[in-house]
Amino acid sequence: MFSASRSMYCRRRQLFCTKLNEVMIQRMVEEMSIDDILAKVNAAIQDQKPSSAAAASGGLFEVGDKKSGGTDPTRSFTNLEIRSYLNELDRQQKIMVTWDTGTVYKI
């Protein structure tokens, strides 16, 4: 069970990093607020999701992906979740985060 949750964490972290790169490159910005990142990343994920009609054709009782333990890896990110990813990127010196102002800077 631990490996399944760790695998989901790694997939979610990779999805977040991919969407964060897309958002910051698309907007050509050097800095962004955490709240703005959360909104833009979640909007990008919602745009990526299949339509409800396409999802409904998959099966009547399918709740999620069986490989990921039944949870949807493309569900919206929470503030707490992205803060853990931002903290990790900050420790790796990929970005700089000022937590008191809630601002993320590209390095």
Side-chain angles (χ1 to χ4, degrees):
M1 186 64 169
F2 175 73
S3 64
S5 64
R6 180 70 181 163
S7 174
M8 175 59 94
Y9 174 83
C10 291
R11 279 187 287 198
R12 295 278 294 164
R13 182 184 63 210
Q14 183 60 44
L15 176 63
F16 173 75
C17 290
T18 300
K19 294 301 176 187
L20 177 62
N21 282 325
E22 289 173 9
V23 166
M24 290 193 86
I25 289 170
Q26 176 187 14
R27 295 186 72 191
M28 295 185 295
V29 294
E30 297 294 319
E31 65 183 60
M32 241 176 141
S33 74
I34 293 173
D35 292 334
D36 199 22
I37 289 171
L38 181 63
K40 298 293 182 192
V41 166
N42 282 336
I45 289 172
Q46 293 303 318
D47 291 344
Q48 176 183 334
K49 282 188 177 183
S51 68
S52 58
S57 66
L60 187 58
F61 296 108
E62 292 182 52
V63 175
D65 182 49
K66 291 181 176 139
K67 293 179 199 166
S68 65
T71 58
D72 180 10
T74 59
R75 72 185 185 282
S76 295
F77 288 99
T78 65
N79 196 313
L80 181 61
E81 184 180 18
I82 71 162
R83 284 176 181 267
S84 72
Y85 301 144
L86 291 172
N87 190 36
E88 191 172 329
L89 291 169
D90 189 30
R91 278 185 279 136
Q92 295 171 358
Q93 297 183 346
K94 308 273 184 185
I95 60 171
M96 184 177 80
V97 181
T98 54
W99 298 106
D100 54 339
T101 62
T103 307
V104 176
Y105 300 90
K106 287 194 319 188
I107 293 180

